[in-house]
């Protein structure tokens, strides 16, 4: 599938030609660990499923096409058993004594991996406000090898200027790589490689899978040398997804564009509604003109996504009451599925980072706005805020 096809078309077809053996229109779930060899070492390109599996290859090609849609030249995708497995594998490109600059609003699991696992192997980390590219530049050391950003961030939805960050880093030291965790935006809303990033990382568990029924991760890059190293690591370390899981992800991706349109439209309506509500102190949504990252988000994102955060005037107690009172919004961690979820980050997803640079206010509520009818969602929030 040539890359000039539109996003929606690539999402349905890239890497997924009808099965050559049977004509099956949908990529089969090749639920096999091994492959028959005609003679010693004579294979059809497949020998063992940790190394390569046709269902996984289809997902890897599809993700590469989606993240590479806006750029010339080949892109390469690798699928992993989870977002964390993808991040861990990418961090294996950084050696003991080398340094990484990361966001002070980084995903909690990423912070835990950096501080409680990788720091023990001699990697060094600094955390800065990456929504300010000057702060990123100021944090670069001679031994810095990687800058790690998320945009929008979780749960404060800060926006980083990917193009400006890339330019500043490369200007200082062209050896430093920029990785963007694109989980919150998805490739439909934002394509970091086209803006100068070296690596895009995903928790495919979220919008790419889109149905809260599978855990997975991915890395996409244009850098052929780095890809060969990462592919070696993918096989050597072995944190690969199973065929059923990659198939569910492929199936989810087919509707990604439609879902992101609806997630974004619903989130915008909800953000506007909440910003006029008397019990709400603050609404954080990059689509609102008063959001400090609005102009950058407008430049680098197609729409503003499905995540909305709000701070209640009456703090943690009010937040806990609200999330216990919704009918359609389900009280749960995770995000990016078709169904709406609600949570209190300080007590749930971000409980483990209290007292760290990632601590969030107790009155903060995070919404993962689903694709239900927006009127039902608005009614649900209205009644929950009355409690
Ligand atoms: C969920 C998430 C991860 C981790 O992915 P898993 O699939 O849960 O391992 C990483 N980054 C972000 C932004 C996430 O939301």
């Amino acid at each position: 599938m040539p890359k000039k096809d539109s996003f929606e078309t690539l999402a349905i077809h890239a890497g997924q030609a009808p099965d050559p053996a049977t004509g099956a229109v949908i990529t089969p779930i090749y639920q096999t660990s091994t492959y028959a060899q005609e003679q010693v070492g004579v294979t059809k390109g497949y020998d063992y499923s940790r190394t390569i599996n046709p269902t996984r290859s289809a997902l890897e090609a599809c993700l590469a096409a989606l993240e590479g849609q806006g750029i010339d030249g080949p892109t390469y995708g690798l699928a992993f058993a989870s977002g964390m497995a993808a991040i861990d594998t990418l961090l294996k490109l950084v050696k003991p004594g080398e340094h990484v600059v990361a966001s002070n609003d980084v995903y909690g699991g990423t912070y835990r991996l950096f501080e409680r696992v990788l720091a023990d192997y001699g990697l060094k980390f600094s955390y800065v406000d990456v929504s300010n590219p000057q702060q990123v530049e100021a944090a670069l050391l001679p031994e810095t090898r990687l800058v790690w950003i998320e945009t929008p961030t979780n749960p404060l939805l800060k926006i980083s200027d990917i193009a400006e960050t890339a330019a500043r880093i490369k200007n200082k030291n062209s050896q430093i790589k920029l990785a963007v965790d694109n989980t919150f935006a998805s490739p439909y809303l934002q394509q970091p490689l086209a803006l100068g990033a070296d690596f895009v990382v995903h928790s495919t568990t979220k919008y790419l899978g889109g149905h809260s029924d599978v855990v997975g991760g991915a890395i996409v890059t244009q850098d052929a040398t780095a890809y060969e190293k990462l592919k070696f690591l993918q096989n050597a370390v072995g944190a690969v997804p199973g065929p059923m899981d990659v198939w569910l992800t492929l199936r989810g991706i087919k509707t990604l564009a439609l879902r992101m349109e609806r997630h974004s439209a619903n989130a915008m309506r909800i953000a506007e509604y909440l910003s006029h509500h008397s019990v709400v102190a603050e609404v954080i949504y990059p689509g609102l003109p008063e959001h400090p990252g609005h102009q950058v988000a407008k430049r680098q994102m197609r729409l503003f996504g499905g995540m909305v955060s709000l701070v209640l005037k009456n703090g943690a107690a009010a937040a806990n009451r609200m999330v216990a009172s919704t009918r359609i919004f389900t009280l749960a961690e995770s995000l990016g599925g078709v169904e709406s979820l609600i949570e209190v980050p300080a007590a749930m997803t971000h409980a483990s980072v209290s007292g760290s640079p990632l601590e969030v206010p107790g009155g903060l509520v995070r919404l993962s706005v689903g694709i239900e009818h927006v009127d039902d969602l608005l009614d649900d929030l209205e009644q929950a805020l009355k409690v």
Side-chain angles (χ1 to χ4, degrees), residues 172-187:
K172 193 127 176 202
N173 178 352
S174 62
Q175 299 303 305
I176 302 175
K177 306 282 188 189
L178 175 63
V180 178
D181 182 333
N182 204 26
T183 299
F184 268 43
S186 89

Side-chain angles (χ1 to χ4, degrees), residues 124-167:
K124 307 255 181 286
F125 298 91
S126 303
Y127 301 91
V128 301
D129 180 356
V130 301
S131 66
N132 180 345
Q134 281 156 303
Q135 276 199 28
V136 175
E137 189 178 345
L140 300 177
L141 302 173
E143 60 272 27
T144 307
R145 292 292 170 274
L146 184 69
V147 172
W148 186 272
I149 67 175
E150 287 165 27
T151 177
T153 62
N154 173 31
L156 298 175
L157 305 173
K158 288 191 197 168
I159 301 293
S160 290
D161 189 326
I162 298 171
E164 188 183 338
T165 306

